[in-house]
Amino acid sequence: ETGVTQSPTHLIKTRGQQVTLRCSSQSGHNTVSWYQQALGQGPQFIFQYYREEENGRGNFPPRFSGLQFPNYSSELNVNALELDDSALYLCASSRPGTVNTGELFFGEGSRLTVL
Amino acid sequence: DQQVKQNSPSLSVQEGRISILNCDYTNSMFDYFLWYKKYPAEGPTFLISISSIKDKNEDGRFTVFLNKSAKHLSLHIVPSQPGDSAVYFCATYFQGAQKLVFGQGTRLTINP
């Protein structure tokens, strides 16, 4: 059983650019969530997708958007990048039996640096 | 508005002794309380959880205690081992919001 995989692992962008981060969920997991972890902080919830629909959103502006595909893989898109968007972006999936308990399986993350 | 707080950024414990990590929360509506462990260059890994209707849950060397009146959560690790050295995040989960709310993390170092 493969785990949650994310790509790219590291990337550097400049202010104003757009970025797409990708995630492959763990096999059998139909819910995917994205979190942003700034340096020295805990992860912050961006949004969750279930059956290709957004199923909850945190306090992030609309320039943060996402997609979930039929194979449960997912993308996080961020437009008009700002310096404060520099962070580790974590993708997490949950299996049908534990989706309401908070037990998530996280990928290693994509570290974004905005210059 | 920090709903979940871990007031100790770091903790150092001797191998074989007990490690106690603490967490405070403000919202009484949470359904589950969880602990995640994070090694460098890895994503957080689920460690143990407790339902809001319980006050203790045990899994091997790890025990989580929930004090609802004090809105306080703690994780006990006994005995502590060098492999336990990591950053530990407490998190709360509210089923209505479908999201985890994390604390800032505590870096635990186990000394040989």
Side-chain angles (χ1 to χ4, degrees), chain A residues 35 42-43 48 99-100 102 104 107, chain B residues 36 43-44 89 93 95 98 100 102-103:
Chain A
Y35 287 78
Q48 180 186 85
V99 66
N100 284 322
L104 301 181
Chain B
Y36 280 79
F89 293 98
Y93 186 75
Q95 290 178 347
Q98 297 281 327
L100 286 170
F102 285 88

Side-chain angles (χ1 to χ4, degrees), chain A residues 20-32:
Chain A
T20 297
L21 307 177
R22 294 179 174 83
C23 172
S24 292
S25 298
Q26 192 154 333
S27 177
H29 292 193
N30 55 7
T31 302
V32 65

Side-chain angles (χ1 to χ4, degrees), chain B residues 35-55:
Chain B
W35 286 93
Y36 280 79
K37 179 169 74 171
K38 187 179 187 301
Y39 293 117
E42 293 185 14
T45 302
F46 169 76
L47 188 58
I48 190 169
S49 66
I50 185 169
S51 163
S52 60
I53 63 174
K54 296 187 175 181
D55 53 22

Side-chain angles (χ1 to χ4, degrees), chain A residues 33 35 37 40-45 48 55-56 58 88 90 99-108, chain B residues 2 31-32 34 36 38 41-46 49 89 93 95 97-105:
Chain A
S33 305
Y35 287 78
Q37 186 181 8
Q41 301 295 318
Q44 269 198 295
F45 175 73
Q48 180 186 85
N55 187 37
L88 180 68
L90 295 161
V99 66
N100 284 322
T101 64
E103 183 180 340
L104 301 181
F105 295 81
F106 283 88
E108 294 180 356
Chain B
Q2 190 70 35
D31 298 297
Y32 283 88
L34 306 95
Y36 280 79
K38 187 179 187 301
E42 293 185 14
T45 302
F46 169 76
S49 66
F89 293 98
Y93 186 75
Q95 290 178 347
Q98 297 281 327
K99 70 176 185 181
L100 286 170
V101 179
F102 285 88
Q104 306 96 310

